[in-house]
């Protein structure tokens, strides 16, 4: 698995620094492990890595979702949703041997034609640095690598433009998303 990484200034906290460069790690030996690429990193450097590992601390994920004001969901159902997702992508800030979950997205799929992206989130301290876009591009790249060609999502009204900037279109050819809820 390749993963994206970026380097932050070592002298400033990550919350105030800007992303300075992007590169894609080409070490295919890294597998799915987000920690595999960390060896040899000095403890003063922080970098961002993406992972498709599903072994995510549910409390850490809950904290991330709390930070953006999402309603809490039963953890046993979140666990099940992660287990049954087609793709799970987490984004981590790694400093030395410490890592912090700062972003997340997952996709469900029929494994052939369609995938739907859910739960896209970047921690507020890391928003506005291009990481949400990088996370989504990573998800799309992974889906394309599985030859999934029809990717959908449900956008909250305030993030429609975020998804538009990534190439998503609303109501293509007048097609409407429809929902059914129990009465
Ligand atoms: C939506 C979210 C993932 C965006 O992450 P981010 O890291 O702040 O986004 P980026 O910095 O990568 O922004 C990428 C582009 O989208 C734009 N953008 C970001 N958030 C936006 C928003 N809410 N509305 C419109 N445009 C937005 C940025 O200005 C940027 O534009 P540019 O490429 O022209 O510079 C993040 O704000 C978030 O987690 N929000 C809370 C959870 C949420 O609402 N998730 C979506 C559920 S459908």
């Amino acid at each position: 698995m390749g993963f994206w990484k970026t380097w932050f200034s070592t002298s400033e906290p990550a919350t105030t620094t800007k992303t300075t460069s992007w590169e894609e790690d080409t070490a295919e030996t890294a597998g799915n492990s987000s920690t595999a690429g960390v060896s040899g990193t000095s403890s003063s450097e922080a970098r961002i890595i993406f992972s498709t590992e599903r072994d995510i601390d549910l409390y850490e994920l809950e904290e991330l979702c709390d930070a953006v004001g999402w309603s809490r969901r039963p953890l046993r159902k979140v666990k099940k949703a992660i287990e049954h997702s087609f793709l799970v992508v987490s984004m981590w800030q790694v400093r030395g041997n410490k890592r912090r979950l700062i972003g997340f997205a997952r996709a469900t799929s029929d494994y052939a034609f369609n995938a739907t992206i859910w739960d896209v989130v970047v921690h507020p301290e890391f928003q506005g640095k291009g990481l949400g876009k990088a996370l989504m591009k990573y998800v799309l790249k992974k889906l394309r690598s599985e030859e999934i060609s029809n990717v959908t999502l449900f956008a909250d009204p305030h993030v429609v433009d975020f998804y538009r900037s990534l190439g998503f279109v609303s109501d293509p050819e007048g097609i409407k998303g429809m929902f059914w809820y129990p009465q």
Side-chain angles (χ1 to χ4, degrees):
M1 181 198 82
F3 55 81
W4 292 85
K5 62 182 180 182
T6 186
W7 300 89
F8 289 100
S9 158
T10 54
S11 55
E12 294 172 286
T15 49
T16 57
T17 52
K18 288 280 176 192
T19 300
T20 51
S21 67
W22 291 99
E23 63 182 281
E24 186 170 14
D25 197 300
T26 52
E28 291 300 325
T29 52
N32 286 337
S33 170
S34 59
T35 54
V38 179
S39 57
T41 307
S42 101
S43 60
S44 58
E45 290 168 345
R47 60 179 178 158
I48 307 295
I49 65 168
F50 289 174
S51 172
T52 52
E53 284 284 344
R54 284 157 199 248
D55 188 17
I56 294 168
D57 180 336
L58 295 178
Y59 293 100
E60 205 175 354
L61 180 59
E62 187 173 66
E63 261 179 45
L64 174 63
C65 297
D66 282 353
V68 296
W70 283 353
S71 309
R72 286 206 168 171
R73 299 177 291 187
L75 289 188
R76 70 179 170 80
K77 293 192 89 174
V78 174
K79 182 170 182 278
K80 198 169 178 182
I82 288 174
E83 281 168 4
H84 292 275
S85 290
F86 177 70
L87 174 69
V88 176
V89 175
S90 51
M91 185 166 67
W92 303 82
Q93 184 196 45
V94 178
R95 198 186 290 272
N97 58 6
K98 288 197 181 129
R99 60 179 204 169
R100 176 183 176 193
L101 181 66
I102 60 164
F104 181 86
R106 67 185 180 92
T108 49
S109 176
D110 59 11
Y111 287 67
F113 305 106
N114 306 290
T116 304
I117 298 175
W118 306 94
D119 300 340
V120 178
V121 57
V122 173
H123 192 284
E125 285 176 27
F126 295 83
Q127 289 178 11
K129 298 172 190 287
L131 292 175
K133 201 172 191 172
L135 175 68
M136 282 298 296
K137 282 189 171 176
Y138 187 85
V139 169
L140 291 168
K141 184 176 137 182
K142 285 289 185 191
L143 293 175
R144 289 299 294 136
S145 74
E146 299 290 337
E147 297 183 31
I148 302 286
S149 52
N150 190 32
V151 181
T152 51
L153 53 77
F154 302 95
D156 286 346
H158 65 284
V159 287
V160 166
D161 288 342
F162 167 70
Y163 292 121
R164 276 212 180 101
S165 75
L166 286 155
F168 285 86
V169 290
S170 315
D171 304 340
E173 298 171 32
I175 296 166
K176 298 281 179 201
M178 296 180 76
F179 298 75
W180 179 90
Y181 297 107
Q183 300 297 315

